[in-house]
Amino acid sequence: MAGKRDYYEVLGIGRDADDAQIKKAYRRLAKKYHPDTNSGNEAEQKFKEVTEAYHVLSDKEKRKMYDQFGHAAFDQSGEDSPGGGGYWKSYGGPQRGYQEYHFESGNMDDMFGDIFGDIFGGFRGRSSRKRGSDLHAEVTVGFDEAVFGCDKVIRLQNPSDPNGGVQSLQVHIPAGIDTGKSIRLKGRGMPGANGGESGDMLLRVTVAEKPGYERKGLDVYTTVFVPFTTAVFGGEAVVDTLYGSVLCKIREGTQSGTKIRLRGKGIVSMKDSSVHGDQYVTVQIEVPGHLDETAKQKLREFEAAYGGRARTA
């Protein structure tokens, strides 16, 4: 068999290599050149070459013969090779022919079951793994919980419990979240198949209302009631915000429906904690409902002095 490479050279090992080293070298090269993961004639030939080398060197009797006689020990010109296990088959004429080694099914099934079960079994296992499905649930949080964020314990049905048991989960509510947004709980969905990872649970958030507050995006809207005289003469009014009370200036002659803008008193942005919305305060003028005769007389005098003229824009 002129031209064949030394089997030890093919596997890249020394002549004193033990069984474990031979097997390890073959695993590495078989994985590198296997036709299932490579295309082209060169890889296929390399694969046949390393397989042939492993078949001889992994068998103590064949290795002993190879060490003593080299390739000539197995050059049977198409006849069965010594020791069984397979045969060489010649193709073509003397000048243009070539030989291939054909394994018998028995002992090679064992070898390939061992080697390729380890090399490609893991790959097949990974490819058959299936991620579990995502689950969807809903959670309601308080207005202030959504504004400032919090850690909240919720109770949901356990998807892994065939009896429909309930599980308690601690969920972080991020500051600034709004109705319709979802919180993803990693790995809390349906279990995966064949060792695949579990799916996620998506909690759709509904933010509860807060009396006196209306939210629009990052902005909030409130109302403040001021006495009639404060609106006429001007003054100050205490306004409640999400962050405490502030004192707002009411200009002289303020009309009902006037809006006051409080910068930065709205909702924090989930994307950028340095960004806040605003609070818009609508001024409503309180009209006195119960006046004594003295107060009524003063208002009549005011009406006479004002002339009863309606304000025009």
Side-chain angles (χ1 to χ4, degrees):
M1 288 190 179
K4 291 179 70 66
R5 294 173 61 200
D6 179 79
Y7 287 152
Y8 291 98
E9 180 185 344
V10 169
L11 294 181
I13 56 177
R15 303 189 78 84
D16 59 347
D18 58 21
D19 291 343
Q21 290 172 318
I22 293 172
K23 189 173 184 179
K24 182 178 180 181
Y26 177 60
R27 288 185 178 188
R28 177 177 59 82
L29 294 171
K31 184 175 181 180
K32 180 178 180 180
Y33 296 119
H34 196 277
D36 287 351
T37 56
N38 292 276
S39 60
N41 211 27
E42 182 179 354
E44 184 177 354
Q45 292 302 320
K46 290 278 189 183
F47 177 75
K48 291 178 180 178
E49 186 179 40
V50 298
T51 302
E52 177 185 324
Y54 175 76
H55 176 68
V56 172
L57 298 183
S58 63
D59 186 293
K60 291 184 178 180
E61 292 300 322
K62 292 184 178 67
R63 182 179 181 183
K64 183 177 180 180
M65 293 177 64
Y66 178 74
D67 288 344
Q68 186 174 0
F69 301 107
H71 293 298
F74 308 109
D75 188 359
Q76 301 297 316
S77 300
E79 299 177 2
D80 287 351
S81 61
Y87 58 91
W88 288 100
K89 187 172 182 179
S90 299
Y91 298 87
Q95 301 299 322
R96 302 175 60 187
Y98 66 96
Q99 292 183 317
E100 287 184 357
Y101 190 83
H102 292 253
F103 298 105
E104 290 182 349
S105 60
N107 78 335
M108 286 312 296
D109 283 345
D110 294 338
M111 184 184 81
F112 274 89
D114 179 29
I115 297 296
F116 290 101
D118 289 341
I119 296 176
F120 296 101
F123 174 78
R124 288 194 297 269
R126 286 193 297 272
S127 64
S128 64
R129 293 175 184 173
K130 185 176 181 182
R131 181 180 181 275
S133 301
D134 291 338
L135 294 179
H136 298 264
E138 296 187 357
V139 60
T140 298
V141 301
F143 192 94
D144 288 344
E145 290 176 329
V147 170
F148 300 107
C150 67
D151 290 322
K152 188 178 183 71
V153 176
I154 63 173
R155 293 173 60 82
L156 295 171
Q157 183 174 349
N158 187 348
S160 301
D161 188 349
N163 298 320
V166 176
Q167 61 179 335
S168 296
L169 299 176
Q170 181 165 314
V171 181
H172 176 68
I173 308 299
I177 198 167
D178 201 358
T179 293
K181 300 293 185 181
S182 292
I183 299 172
R184 182 180 294 271
L185 302 182
K186 186 73 174 176
R188 293 294 187 175
M190 294 297 294
N194 298 324
E197 66 177 358
S198 297
D200 301 335
M201 179 174 288
L202 300 175
L203 294 177
R204 189 177 186 278
V205 173
T206 297
V207 179
E209 295 182 352
K210 180 182 178 73
Y213 290 82
E214 180 183 5
R215 177 174 178 175
K216 294 182 180 179
L218 297 183
D219 297 329
V220 292
Y221 292 79
T222 61
T223 300
V224 63
F225 294 88
V226 300
F228 174 76
T229 52
T230 301
V232 173
F233 300 115
E236 294 176 334
V238 176
V239 175
D240 292 328
T241 76
L242 296 170
Y243 311 95
S245 298
V246 297
L247 200 60
C248 291
K249 183 178 180 180
I250 304 299
R251 297 182 180 276
E252 181 180 332
T254 293
Q255 303 298 308
S256 188
T258 299
K259 283 187 172 58
I260 301 173
R261 180 183 182 185
L262 302 179
R263 295 182 180 274
K265 295 299 184 181
I267 312 294
V268 65
S269 170
M270 290 180 61
K271 297 179 180 179
D272 186 349
S273 60
S274 66
V275 175
H276 286 71
D278 301 327
Q279 178 172 338
Y280 292 89
V281 184
T282 300
V283 177
Q284 294 291 346
I285 299 174
E286 294 179 322
V287 177
H290 302 284
L291 299 176
D292 58 21
E293 287 300 322
T294 302
K296 289 180 180 179
Q297 180 59 37
K298 296 295 183 182
L299 282 177
R300 292 190 184 98
E301 293 174 1
F302 168 79
E303 183 180 25
Y306 189 69
R309 297 186 299 272
R311 182 179 182 274
T312 57

